[in-house]
Amino acid sequence: DSGVTQTPKHLITATGQRVTLRCSPRSGDLSVYWYQQSLDQGLQFLIQYYNGEERAKGNILERFSAQQFPDLHSELNLSSLELGDSALYFCASSPRTDTSGNTIYFGEGSWLTVV
Amino acid sequence: AQKITQTQPGMFVQEKEAVTLDCTYDTSDQSYGLFWYKQPSSGEMIFLIYQGSYDEQNATEGRYSLNFQKARKSANLVISASQLGDSAMYFCAMRGMDSNYQLIWGAGTKLIIKP
């Protein structure tokens, strides 16, 4: 158990809909990362938050947004869903952001299927 | 720019044998971290082992060890006495200032342990 909690574990939704994925980081971790893993594109970094502030942006679509709340949990919002958004979405956390030494621990992922 | 190369798309190994998964990297950073993650078919991303660029000794975690050859820029994962449960995808990753401390991922190696 990595200590990173993601909900829901599985989600099936229709095209055009909106979903919210939730993440609770490891106790004490200030940094939260979101990743998307699809069969054709591998593991893609989406966005990072550190202590409530956006820290870095990766290949995140404009239809997607995220935030980190004062209690450090984070939500990833996916809207106007398309078939191609079907993927495994990971949340990960680490204590800090400005170091190469902290390990980034991953949650179990949220499987999203868009039909 | 940082880059991770895993040259073995797939490997078959007999149970109880040792296995080496290759990883080479490229970076201009002096300080960086190298990581190995395991992803079984159930999907979760499991942290295995970490090696810091200034660590003089190779990292070990139980049956996992990291064969770090800094001059050759390689960070191979060695699994001793392989078990059927080791069958999974294995990803090598690194982070450093050059990548804004985001994880840079290799393409992964699919390891299958034969009984």
Side-chain angles (χ1 to χ4, degrees), chain A residues 2-24:
Chain A
S2 68
V4 180
T5 304
Q6 287 188 247
T7 57
K9 287 191 170 36
H10 295 88
L11 193 56
I12 301 174
T13 190
T15 54
Q17 295 297 306
R18 172 189 168 96
V19 299
T20 298
L21 309 181
R22 194 179 190 279
C23 170
S24 293

Side-chain angles (χ1 to χ4, degrees), chain A residues 7-69:
Chain A
T7 57
K9 287 191 170 36
H10 295 88
L11 193 56
I12 301 174
T13 190
T15 54
Q17 295 297 306
R18 172 189 168 96
V19 299
T20 298
L21 309 181
R22 194 179 190 279
C23 170
S24 293
R26 288 178 358 130
S27 178
D29 283 0
L30 299 178
S31 200
V32 168
Y33 310 77
W34 287 98
Y35 288 84
Q36 178 195 58
Q37 187 180 32
S38 57
L39 284 175
D40 57 346
Q41 294 200 1
L43 203 64
Q44 299 279 324
F45 165 66
L46 295 179
I47 198 165
Q48 179 200 355
Y49 280 82
Y50 179 74
N51 204 18
E53 299 290 327
E54 183 183 303
R55 173 73 172 80
K57 246 181 179 177
N59 300 321
I60 187 166
L61 299 172
E62 284 192 10
R63 299 182 287 108
F64 296 178
S65 65
Q67 55 184 327
Q68 186 180 27
F69 295 88

